[in-house]
Amino acid sequence: MELVRKFFIALLIVLISAYSYNAEQTWNPDLGKGYFEKGVESLKILNYLDALIYFSRAYSVDPKSYYGELSYLYLGKSYALYSYAFGSKKGVLAAIGYLNQYPFNYKVPRFIHTQREFIGDSYLLLQWYETAKNIYANLYGETEKPEYMIKYGYAASLGGSIEGYNYLKKLDREGVPEDYIDVYYMTMGFYNFNLGRYKLATEYMLYAMNANTYLKEDPHLLFRTGVSYYKLGDWRKALLYLELSLKKDPMRFYEDRANFYLAIINLETKNFREAYAKLKELSQEDKLFYNKLTQILFSSLWYYEGFLEVYGGKLGDYRKKLLQLGWLNVEDVYGELPVIGLYYLALKSKKINDEEIELIRTKKLTLREFIFENELFTFDRYIERAKEPLDSYLFFRREDAKFITKLYKTNEDTYLKILGNQKGVELLARSLVFLGDKRAEKVLPLVKDEGIHRFLLGQLSILQDKRDEALKHLQESISHLKGEDKLEAELLSVYLKGSPEELEKVIGKVDFRNERFSNYEPVVLVRTADLYYDNGNMEKALSFYKRVTDRATEDNNYWWSMFRIAVISESMKDNTTLKWVVKRAKEKDNIWSRAIRSLWEG
């Protein structure tokens, strides 16, 4: 502190030497007063250098006089503001050290309350709100002057609380000192900002700016006005005030927070170039790993559709950084957004690596709401976005079904928290049934749609070889189903009933070119052919077996159908068809082709 005091006193000597006059030549009773008043006017228009000059002259005329002693204090206040304007915390601390010397330089100080007020003001410049509040509280306790309570409230509101709010709210308009009208309005604006009353906050803050146009230079006011407009959805005005706050914030107190809101606005409006510029500012000095603002923003970039496609490459390996943020915050709520993001990116790319699987397996999601930047942060919209890639998934595509099942098996609880709406549960249940996975039994009770539940239960019963149960569930489901579900339920139902006529009728409704039904075609055609064969209707059986052989895939169904065609051709004495079957059998070597050759080749 001694070094700080000497530093300021040295500067003061320079100022006095440069601008003072020979007291004997320039002294007159009004000279000190004139310089002092010019200094005060310079302070009002934020001309701190001129204020220093005029106060130093007033002080040099007669340090012991009324205005000389007062100028001593105003020199300290001016230097604190001058240092603040240039972003020098050391300068502000030097000013506080200088002001603390006042009682030692003036043994019977006339302006001790003013000295303490200026010290409080200087601490405010450093954002030492509690220290400033204590000073103003003591001043109010000793004097009961409303201006000290207004300043107390101002310091409290800057610190994020509403202490003193009731006093200021009751303070009559006429009871506010004229010189403090602007501070009063500003404080009431800050109180309402802290209470989340953003419309009322903007009204008060605009009143303050109208009362004192120089408040448009105040970063505290500009930042809160910008954020208030952001909360109210007026992004144009929010951008204006937040950008101004960055330019008018010499101590860079609001730099990160202003850049955070500016980045969000630009992301929301798809102005990705500006969003990326703000993101770069926020990511400097490894802020990604210790600044919660940066972590929340970075963890949510996947949410803004199109941004990663344009700027993802410039961010390095985004998924790897998302993974790092998840592990960094694995024990707290800030680790949940990265996990949701990984789910979204994994679903979208249909890929997930072992490290991501390990995080998902380890991290327990709560989706607990929490307070962030003076408002309730919820995961709802992120969860909704994370589900969107499900629209591209089809349970009857084996790779899709396997990937959905893989995510579920990694962490069942997390899957259901993120993708556990009815659509996500149905996709999972359908996928498990399609793959014949026994976990389907656990998931099926979560399917709330009665028709789909019975439909899937019927399919599961088929896989478990419970044919009577399967038929019962399928028949009960049909009246509740629509579209392809209903058609598939009908197909499976008549398949189990064993009536070739009913099966043929349903087959007529099915387009086997449809991906969902393509795997059914050989099975149901062979089943229909077999039923007609067993009933002795060889012509019908032959037509359905031939439909199977018309398909390009030469699987077991194909060769079984070829065998049966040979049998029917022999019984119908159709040598042409029989020779064709034998010829095809000679071209292949499998159990069915060998059987055909052994029976009919000779």
Side-chain angles (χ1 to χ4, degrees), residues 120-193:
D121 296 345
S122 299
Y123 279 122
L124 273 185
L125 298 176
L126 297 172
Q127 289 195 322
W128 292 18
Y129 300 132
E130 290 301 318
T131 305
K133 277 166 49 183
N134 288 336
I135 292 173
Y136 297 138
N138 289 331
L139 285 169
Y140 179 75
E142 293 175 10
T143 67
E144 295 189 358
K145 290 183 177 180
E147 51 261 49
Y148 293 134
M149 183 53 72
I150 292 172
K151 282 199 168 186
Y152 176 90
Y154 177 63
S157 66
L158 282 173
S161 78
I162 57 168
E163 295 173 75
Y165 173 71
N166 289 332
Y167 176 90
L168 266 65
K169 189 177 179 182
K170 293 176 183 177
L171 195 63
D172 291 333
R173 169 67 175 76
E174 295 76 14
V176 179
E178 186 176 349
D179 289 345
Y180 284 80
I181 290 293
D182 54 347
V183 181
Y184 174 80
Y185 282 141
M186 185 162 55
T187 303
M188 292 301 291
F190 292 179
Y191 277 144
N192 283 283
F193 177 88

Coordinates of all heavy atoms in Angstrom, one line a residue, residues 120-193:
G120 N -15.9 4.3 -1.0 CA -16.9 3.3 -1.3 C -17.1 3.3 -2.9 O -17.2 2.3 -3.5
D121 N -17.2 4.5 -3.5 CA -17.4 4.6 -4.9 C -16.2 3.9 -5.6 O -16.4 3.3 -6.7 CB -17.4 6.1 -5.4 CG -18.6 6.8 -4.8 OD1 -19.6 6.1 -4.3 OD2 -18.7 8.0 -4.8
S122 N -15.0 4.1 -5.1 CA -13.8 3.5 -5.7 C -13.9 1.9 -5.6 O -13.5 1.2 -6.6 CB -12.5 4.0 -5.1 OG -12.5 5.4 -5.3
Y123 N -14.3 1.4 -4.5 CA -14.5 0.0 -4.3 C -15.5 -0.6 -5.3 O -15.4 -1.7 -5.8 CB -14.8 -0.4 -2.9 CG -13.6 -0.4 -2.0 CD1 -13.6 0.4 -0.8 CD2 -12.6 -1.3 -2.2 CE1 -12.5 0.3 0.0 CE2 -11.5 -1.3 -1.4 CZ -11.4 -0.5 -0.3 OH -10.3 -0.6 0.6
L124 N -16.6 0.3 -5.6 CA -17.6 -0.2 -6.6 C -16.9 -0.3 -7.9 O -17.3 -1.2 -8.7 CB -18.7 0.9 -6.7 CG -19.8 0.8 -5.7 CD1 -20.9 1.9 -6.1 CD2 -20.5 -0.6 -5.8
L125 N -16.0 0.5 -8.3 CA -15.3 0.4 -9.6 C -14.6 -0.9 -9.7 O -14.4 -1.4 -10.8 CB -14.3 1.6 -9.8 CG -14.9 3.0 -9.8 CD1 -13.8 4.0 -9.9 CD2 -15.9 3.1 -10.9
L126 N -14.2 -1.5 -8.6 CA -13.4 -2.7 -8.6 C -14.4 -3.9 -8.4 O -13.9 -5.1 -8.3 CB -12.4 -2.7 -7.5 CG -11.3 -1.7 -7.5 CD1 -10.4 -1.7 -6.3 CD2 -10.4 -2.0 -8.8
Q127 N -15.7 -3.6 -8.3 CA -16.7 -4.7 -8.0 C -16.5 -5.3 -6.7 O -16.9 -6.5 -6.4 CB -16.7 -5.8 -9.1 CG -17.2 -5.3 -10.5 CD -17.5 -6.4 -11.4 OE1 -16.8 -7.4 -11.5 NE2 -18.6 -6.3 -12.2
W128 N -16.0 -4.6 -5.7 CA -15.9 -5.0 -4.3 C -17.2 -4.6 -3.6 O -17.2 -3.7 -2.8 CB -14.7 -4.4 -3.6 CG -13.4 -4.9 -4.1 CD1 -13.2 -5.6 -5.3 CD2 -12.1 -4.9 -3.5 NE1 -11.8 -5.9 -5.5 CE2 -11.2 -5.5 -4.3 CE3 -11.7 -4.3 -2.3 CZ2 -9.8 -5.5 -4.0 CZ3 -10.4 -4.4 -2.0 CH2 -9.4 -5.0 -2.8
Y129 N -18.3 -5.2 -4.0 CA -19.6 -4.7 -3.6 C -19.9 -4.8 -2.1 O -20.5 -3.9 -1.5 CB -20.7 -5.5 -4.4 CG -20.6 -5.4 -5.9 CD1 -20.7 -6.5 -6.7 CD2 -20.4 -4.1 -6.5 CE1 -20.5 -6.4 -8.1 CE2 -20.3 -4.0 -7.8 CZ -20.3 -5.2 -8.6 OH -20.2 -5.0 -10.0
E130 N -19.5 -5.9 -1.5 CA -19.7 -6.0 0.0 C -19.0 -4.9 0.8 O -19.5 -4.3 1.7 CB -19.2 -7.4 0.5 CG -20.1 -8.5 0.0 CD -21.6 -8.4 0.4 OE1 -21.8 -8.0 1.6 OE2 -22.5 -8.6 -0.4
T131 N -17.7 -4.6 0.4 CA -17.0 -3.6 1.0 C -17.7 -2.2 0.8 O -17.8 -1.4 1.8 CB -15.5 -3.5 0.5 OG1 -14.9 -4.8 0.6 CG2 -14.7 -2.5 1.2
A132 N -18.1 -1.9 -0.4 CA -18.8 -0.7 -0.7 C -20.1 -0.6 0.1 O -20.4 0.5 0.7 CB -19.1 -0.5 -2.1
K133 N -20.8 -1.7 0.2 CA -22.1 -1.7 0.9 C -21.9 -1.4 2.4 O -22.7 -0.6 3.0 CB -22.8 -3.1 0.8 CG -23.6 -3.3 -0.4 CD -23.9 -4.7 -0.7 CE -24.5 -5.4 0.5 NZ -24.8 -6.8 0.3
N134 N -20.9 -1.9 3.0 CA -20.6 -1.7 4.4 C -20.3 -0.2 4.7 O -20.7 0.4 5.7 CB -19.4 -2.5 4.9 CG -19.7 -4.0 5.0 OD1 -20.9 -4.3 5.2 ND2 -18.7 -4.8 4.9
I135 N -19.6 0.4 3.7 CA -19.2 1.8 3.9 C -20.5 2.7 3.8 O -20.8 3.6 4.6 CB -18.2 2.3 2.8 CG1 -16.9 1.6 3.0 CG2 -18.1 3.8 2.7 CD1 -15.8 1.8 1.9
Y136 N -21.4 2.4 2.8 CA -22.6 3.2 2.6 C -23.5 2.9 3.8 O -24.2 3.9 4.2 CB -23.3 2.8 1.3 CG -22.5 3.1 0.0 CD1 -22.4 2.2 -1.0 CD2 -21.7 4.3 -0.1 CE1 -21.7 2.5 -2.2 CE2 -21.0 4.6 -1.2 CZ -21.0 3.7 -2.3 OH -20.2 3.9 -3.4
A137 N -23.6 1.7 4.3 CA -24.5 1.4 5.4 C -24.1 2.2 6.6 O -25.0 2.8 7.3 CB -24.5 -0.1 5.7
N138 N -22.8 2.3 6.9 CA -22.3 3.1 8.0 C -22.6 4.6 7.8 O -23.0 5.3 8.8 CB -20.8 2.8 8.2 CG -20.5 1.5 8.7 OD1 -21.3 0.9 9.4 ND2 -19.4 0.9 8.4
L139 N -22.4 5.0 6.6 CA -22.7 6.4 6.3 C -24.2 6.8 6.5 O -24.5 7.8 7.1 CB -22.3 6.8 4.9 CG -20.8 6.9 4.6 CD1 -20.5 7.0 3.2 CD2 -20.2 8.2 5.4
Y140 N -25.0 5.9 6.1 CA -26.5 6.1 6.3 C -26.8 6.0 7.8 O -27.6 6.8 8.2 CB -27.3 5.1 5.5 CG -28.8 5.2 5.7 CD1 -29.4 6.3 5.0 CD2 -29.5 4.4 6.5 CE1 -30.8 6.5 5.2 CE2 -30.9 4.6 6.7 CZ -31.5 5.6 6.1 OH -32.9 5.8 6.3
G141 N -26.2 5.1 8.5 CA -26.5 5.0 9.9 C -26.1 6.2 10.7 O -26.8 6.6 11.6
E142 N -25.0 6.9 10.2 CA -24.6 8.1 10.9 C -25.3 9.4 10.5 O -25.5 10.3 11.3 CB -23.1 8.3 10.6 CG -22.2 7.2 11.3 CD -20.8 7.4 10.9 OE1 -20.4 8.4 10.2 OE2 -20.0 6.5 11.1
T143 N -25.8 9.4 9.2 CA -26.4 10.6 8.7 C -27.9 10.5 8.4 O -28.6 11.6 8.3 CB -25.7 11.0 7.4 OG1 -25.9 10.1 6.4 CG2 -24.2 11.1 7.7
E144 N -28.4 9.3 8.1 CA -29.7 9.1 7.6 C -30.0 9.8 6.3 O -31.2 10.1 6.0 CB -30.8 9.4 8.7 CG -30.7 8.6 9.9 CD -31.8 8.8 10.9 OE1 -32.7 9.7 10.6 OE2 -31.9 8.1 11.9
K145 N -29.0 10.1 5.6 CA -29.2 10.8 4.3 C -29.6 9.7 3.2 O -29.0 8.7 3.1 CB -27.9 11.4 3.8 CG -27.6 12.7 4.6 CD -26.3 13.3 4.0 CE -26.0 14.6 4.8 NZ -24.8 15.3 4.2
P146 N -30.7 9.9 2.5 CA -31.2 8.9 1.5 C -30.2 8.6 0.4 O -30.2 7.5 -0.1 CB -32.5 9.6 0.9 CG -32.3 11.0 1.2 CD -31.6 11.2 2.5
E147 N -29.3 9.6 0.1 CA -28.4 9.3 -1.0 C -27.4 8.1 -0.6 O -27.0 7.3 -1.5 CB -27.5 10.5 -1.4 CG -26.9 11.2 -0.2 CD -27.6 12.4 0.3 OE1 -28.9 12.3 0.5 OE2 -27.0 13.5 0.4
Y148 N -27.2 8.0 0.7 CA -26.3 6.8 1.1 C -27.0 5.5 1.0 O -26.5 4.5 0.6 CB -25.7 7.1 2.5 CG -24.8 8.2 2.5 CD1 -24.9 9.2 3.6 CD2 -23.8 8.4 1.6 CE1 -24.0 10.2 3.6 CE2 -22.9 9.4 1.7 CZ -23.0 10.4 2.7 OH -22.1 11.4 2.7
M149 N -28.3 5.5 1.3 CA -29.1 4.3 1.1 C -29.3 4.0 -0.4 O -29.3 2.8 -0.8 CB -30.5 4.4 1.8 CG -31.3 3.2 1.8 SD -30.5 1.7 2.3 CE -30.4 2.0 4.1
I150 N -29.4 5.0 -1.2 CA -29.5 4.7 -2.6 C -28.2 4.1 -3.1 O -28.3 3.1 -3.9 CB -29.8 6.1 -3.4 CG1 -31.2 6.6 -3.1 CG2 -29.6 5.9 -4.9 CD1 -31.5 8.0 -3.6
K151 N -27.1 4.6 -2.6 CA -25.8 4.0 -3.1 C -25.7 2.6 -2.5 O -25.1 1.7 -3.1 CB -24.7 4.9 -2.6 CG -24.5 6.1 -3.5 CD -23.1 6.7 -3.3 CE -22.8 7.7 -4.4 NZ -21.4 8.2 -4.4
Y152 N -26.2 2.4 -1.3 CA -26.2 1.0 -0.7 C -27.0 0.1 -1.6 O -26.5 -1.0 -1.9 CB -26.8 1.0 0.7 CG -26.9 -0.3 1.3 CD1 -25.8 -0.8 2.1 CD2 -28.0 -1.1 1.1 CE1 -25.9 -2.1 2.6 CE2 -28.1 -2.4 1.7 CZ -27.1 -2.9 2.5 OH -27.2 -4.1 3.0
G153 N -28.2 0.5 -2.0 CA -29.0 -0.3 -2.9 C -28.3 -0.5 -4.2 O -28.4 -1.6 -4.8
Y154 N -27.6 0.5 -4.7 CA -26.9 0.4 -6.0 C -25.8 -0.7 -5.9 O -25.7 -1.6 -6.8 CB -26.3 1.7 -6.4 CG -25.5 1.7 -7.6 CD1 -26.1 1.5 -8.9 CD2 -24.1 2.0 -7.6 CE1 -25.3 1.5 -10.0 CE2 -23.4 2.0 -8.8 CZ -24.0 1.7 -10.0 OH -23.2 1.7 -11.1
A155 N -25.1 -0.7 -4.8 CA -24.0 -1.7 -4.6 C -24.6 -3.1 -4.5 O -24.1 -4.0 -5.0 CB -23.2 -1.3 -3.4
A156 N -25.7 -3.1 -3.7 CA -26.4 -4.4 -3.5 C -26.9 -5.0 -4.8 O -26.8 -6.2 -5.2 CB -27.5 -4.3 -2.5
S157 N -27.6 -4.1 -5.6 CA -28.1 -4.6 -6.9 C -27.1 -5.0 -7.9 O -27.3 -6.0 -8.6 CB -29.0 -3.4 -7.5 OG -28.2 -2.3 -7.9
L158 N -25.9 -4.3 -7.9 CA -24.8 -4.8 -8.7 C -24.3 -6.1 -8.3 O -23.8 -6.9 -9.1 CB -23.7 -3.8 -8.7 CG -23.8 -2.5 -9.5 CD1 -22.7 -1.5 -9.2 CD2 -23.9 -2.8 -11.0
G159 N -24.4 -6.4 -7.0 CA -24.0 -7.7 -6.5 C -25.0 -8.8 -6.7 O -24.7 -10.0 -6.4
G160 N -26.1 -8.5 -7.3 CA -27.1 -9.5 -7.6 C -28.2 -9.7 -6.6 O -29.1 -10.6 -6.7
S161 N -28.2 -8.8 -5.5 CA -29.3 -9.0 -4.5 C -30.3 -7.9 -4.6 O -30.2 -7.0 -5.5 CB -28.6 -9.0 -3.1 OG -28.3 -7.7 -2.7
I162 N -31.3 -7.9 -3.7 CA -32.3 -6.8 -3.7 C -32.4 -6.2 -2.3 O -33.4 -5.6 -1.9 CB -33.7 -7.4 -4.0 CG1 -34.1 -8.5 -3.1 CG2 -33.7 -7.8 -5.5 CD1 -35.6 -8.9 -3.2
E163 N -31.2 -6.2 -1.6 CA -31.1 -5.6 -0.3 C -31.4 -4.1 -0.5 O -30.8 -3.5 -1.4 CB -29.8 -5.8 0.3 CG -29.4 -7.2 0.7 CD -28.0 -7.4 1.1 OE1 -27.7 -7.0 2.3 OE2 -27.2 -7.9 0.3
G164 N -32.2 -3.5 0.4 CA -32.6 -2.1 0.3 C -33.7 -1.8 -0.6 O -34.1 -0.6 -0.8
Y165 N -34.2 -2.8 -1.3 CA -35.3 -2.6 -2.3 C -36.5 -2.0 -1.7 O -37.1 -1.0 -2.3 CB -35.6 -3.9 -2.9 CG -36.8 -3.9 -3.9 CD1 -36.7 -3.2 -5.1 CD2 -38.0 -4.5 -3.6 CE1 -37.7 -3.2 -6.0 CE2 -39.1 -4.4 -4.4 CZ -38.9 -3.8 -5.7 OH -40.0 -3.7 -6.5
N166 N -37.0 -2.5 -0.5 CA -38.2 -1.9 0.0 C -38.0 -0.5 0.4 O -39.0 0.3 0.3 CB -38.6 -2.8 1.3 CG -39.1 -4.1 0.9 OD1 -39.6 -4.3 -0.2 ND2 -38.9 -5.1 1.7
Y167 N -36.8 -0.1 0.9 CA -36.6 1.3 1.3 C -36.7 2.2 0.1 O -37.4 3.2 0.1 CB -35.2 1.4 1.9 CG -34.9 2.9 2.3 CD1 -35.2 3.4 3.5 CD2 -34.2 3.7 1.3 CE1 -34.9 4.8 3.8 CE2 -33.9 5.0 1.6 CZ -34.2 5.5 2.8 OH -33.9 6.8 3.1
L168 N -36.0 1.8 -1.0 CA -36.0 2.6 -2.2 C -37.4 2.6 -2.9 O -37.8 3.6 -3.5 CB -35.0 2.1 -3.2 CG -33.6 2.8 -3.1 CD1 -32.9 2.6 -1.7 CD2 -32.7 2.4 -4.2
K169 N -38.1 1.5 -2.8 CA -39.4 1.5 -3.4 C -40.4 2.4 -2.7 O -41.3 3.0 -3.4 CB -40.0 0.0 -3.3 CG -41.3 -0.2 -4.1 CD -41.7 -1.7 -4.0 CE -43.0 -1.9 -4.7 NZ -43.4 -3.3 -4.6
K170 N -40.2 2.6 -1.4 CA -41.1 3.5 -0.6 C -40.6 5.0 -0.7 O -41.4 5.9 -0.4 CB -41.1 3.1 0.8 CG -41.8 1.7 1.1 CD -41.7 1.3 2.5 CE -42.4 0.0 2.7 NZ -42.2 -0.5 4.2
L171 N -39.4 5.2 -1.2 CA -38.9 6.5 -1.2 C -39.7 7.3 -2.2 O -39.8 7.1 -3.4 CB -37.4 6.5 -1.7 CG -36.6 7.7 -1.4 CD1 -36.5 8.0 0.0 CD2 -35.2 7.5 -2.0
D172 N -40.3 8.4 -1.7 CA -41.1 9.2 -2.6 C -40.2 9.9 -3.7 O -39.0 10.1 -3.5 CB -41.8 10.4 -1.8 CG -42.8 9.8 -0.8 OD1 -43.4 8.7 -1.2 OD2 -43.1 10.4 0.2
R173 N -40.9 10.1 -4.8 CA -40.1 10.7 -5.9 C -39.5 12.1 -5.4 O -38.4 12.4 -5.8 CB -41.1 11.0 -7.1 CG -40.6 11.9 -8.2 CD -39.5 11.2 -8.9 NE -39.0 12.0 -10.1 CZ -38.3 13.1 -10.0 NH1 -37.9 13.5 -8.8 NH2 -38.0 13.7 -11.1
E174 N -40.2 12.8 -4.6 CA -39.6 14.1 -4.2 C -38.6 13.9 -3.1 O -37.8 14.8 -2.8 CB -40.8 15.0 -3.6 CG -41.8 15.4 -4.6 CD -42.8 14.3 -4.9 OE1 -42.8 13.2 -4.2 OE2 -43.5 14.4 -5.9
G175 N -38.5 12.7 -2.5 CA -37.6 12.4 -1.5 C -36.2 12.0 -2.0 O -35.2 11.9 -1.2
V176 N -36.1 11.8 -3.3 CA -34.8 11.4 -3.9 C -34.1 12.7 -4.2 O -34.5 13.6 -4.9 CB -35.0 10.6 -5.2 CG1 -33.7 10.2 -5.8 CG2 -35.9 9.4 -4.9
P177 N -32.8 12.8 -3.7 CA -32.0 14.0 -4.0 C -31.9 14.2 -5.5 O -31.7 13.2 -6.2 CB -30.7 13.7 -3.3 CG -31.0 12.7 -2.2 CD -32.2 11.9 -2.8
E178 N -32.0 15.4 -5.9 CA -32.0 15.7 -7.3 C -30.8 15.1 -8.0 O -30.9 14.6 -9.2 CB -32.0 17.2 -7.6 CG -32.2 17.6 -9.0 CD -32.3 19.1 -9.2 OE1 -32.5 19.8 -8.2 OE2 -32.2 19.6 -10.4
D179 N -29.6 15.2 -7.4 CA -28.4 14.7 -8.0 C -28.3 13.2 -8.1 O -27.4 12.6 -8.7 CB -27.1 15.2 -7.3 CG -26.9 16.7 -7.5 OD1 -27.5 17.3 -8.4 OD2 -26.1 17.3 -6.7
Y180 N -29.3 12.5 -7.5 CA -29.3 11.1 -7.4 C -30.5 10.4 -8.1 O -30.7 9.2 -8.0 CB -29.3 10.6 -5.9 CG -27.9 10.7 -5.3 CD1 -27.5 12.0 -4.8 CD2 -27.1 9.7 -5.1 CE1 -26.3 12.1 -4.2 CE2 -25.8 9.8 -4.6 CZ -25.4 11.0 -4.1 OH -24.2 11.2 -3.5
I181 N -31.2 11.2 -8.9 CA -32.4 10.7 -9.6 C -31.9 9.6 -10.6 O -32.5 8.5 -10.7 CB -33.1 11.8 -10.4 CG1 -33.8 12.8 -9.4 CG2 -34.1 11.2 -11.4 CD1 -35.0 12.1 -8.7
D182 N -30.8 9.9 -11.3 CA -30.3 8.9 -12.3 C -29.9 7.6 -11.6 O -30.2 6.5 -12.1 CB -29.2 9.5 -13.1 CG -28.1 10.1 -12.3 OD1 -28.3 10.2 -11.0 OD2 -27.0 10.3 -12.8
V183 N -29.2 7.7 -10.5 CA -28.7 6.5 -9.7 C -29.9 5.8 -9.1 O -29.9 4.5 -9.1 CB -27.7 6.9 -8.6 CG1 -27.2 5.7 -7.9 CG2 -26.6 7.7 -9.2
Y184 N -30.9 6.5 -8.7 CA -32.1 5.9 -8.1 C -32.8 5.0 -9.2 O -33.1 3.9 -9.0 CB -33.1 7.0 -7.6 CG -34.4 6.5 -7.1 CD1 -34.5 5.9 -5.9 CD2 -35.5 6.5 -8.0 CE1 -35.8 5.4 -5.5 CE2 -36.8 6.1 -7.6 CZ -36.9 5.5 -6.3 OH -38.1 5.0 -5.9
Y185 N -33.1 5.6 -10.4 CA -33.7 4.9 -11.4 C -32.9 3.7 -11.9 O -33.4 2.6 -12.1 CB -33.9 5.8 -12.6 CG -35.1 6.7 -12.5 CD1 -35.0 8.0 -13.0 CD2 -36.3 6.3 -11.9 CE1 -36.1 8.9 -12.9 CE2 -37.4 7.2 -11.8 CZ -37.3 8.5 -12.3 OH -38.4 9.3 -12.1
M186 N -31.6 3.9 -12.0 CA -30.7 2.8 -12.4 C -30.7 1.7 -11.4 O -30.8 0.5 -11.7 CB -29.3 3.3 -12.5 CG -28.3 2.3 -13.1 SD -26.8 3.1 -13.7 CE -26.2 4.0 -12.4
T187 N -30.7 2.0 -10.1 CA -30.8 1.0 -9.0 C -32.1 0.2 -9.1 O -32.1 -1.0 -9.0 CB -30.6 1.6 -7.7 OG1 -29.3 2.4 -7.6 CG2 -30.6 0.6 -6.6
M188 N -33.2 1.0 -9.2 CA -34.5 0.3 -9.3 C -34.5 -0.6 -10.6 O -35.1 -1.7 -10.5 CB -35.6 1.3 -9.4 CG -35.8 2.1 -8.1 SD -36.2 1.1 -6.7 CE -37.8 0.5 -7.1
G189 N -33.9 -0.2 -11.6 CA -33.8 -1.1 -12.8 C -33.0 -2.3 -12.5 O -33.4 -3.4 -12.9
F190 N -31.9 -2.2 -11.8 CA -31.1 -3.3 -11.5 C -31.8 -4.3 -10.5 O -31.7 -5.5 -10.6 CB -29.7 -2.9 -10.9 CG -28.8 -2.2 -11.8 CD1 -27.6 -1.7 -11.4 CD2 -29.2 -2.0 -13.1 CE1 -26.7 -1.0 -12.3 CE2 -28.3 -1.3 -14.0 CZ -27.1 -0.8 -13.6
Y191 N -32.5 -3.7 -9.6 CA -33.3 -4.6 -8.7 C -34.3 -5.4 -9.4 O -34.4 -6.7 -9.2 CB -34.1 -3.7 -7.7 CG -33.4 -3.2 -6.4 CD1 -33.6 -1.9 -5.9 CD2 -32.5 -4.0 -5.8 CE1 -33.0 -1.5 -4.8 CE2 -31.8 -3.6 -4.6 CZ -32.1 -2.3 -4.1 OH -31.5 -1.9 -3.0
N192 N -35.0 -4.8 -10.3 CA -36.0 -5.5 -11.1 C -35.3 -6.5 -12.1 O -35.9 -7.6 -12.4 CB -36.9 -4.6 -11.9 CG -37.9 -3.9 -11.0 OD1 -38.9 -4.6 -10.6 ND2 -37.7 -2.7 -10.6
F193 N -34.1 -6.2 -12.6 CA -33.4 -7.1 -13.4 C -33.1 -8.4 -12.5 O -33.2 -9.5 -13.0 CB -32.1 -6.5 -13.8 CG -31.1 -7.4 -14.6 CD1 -31.3 -7.5 -16.0 CD2 -30.1 -8.1 -13.9 CE1 -30.4 -8.3 -16.7 CE2 -29.3 -8.9 -14.6 CZ -29.4 -9.0 -16.0

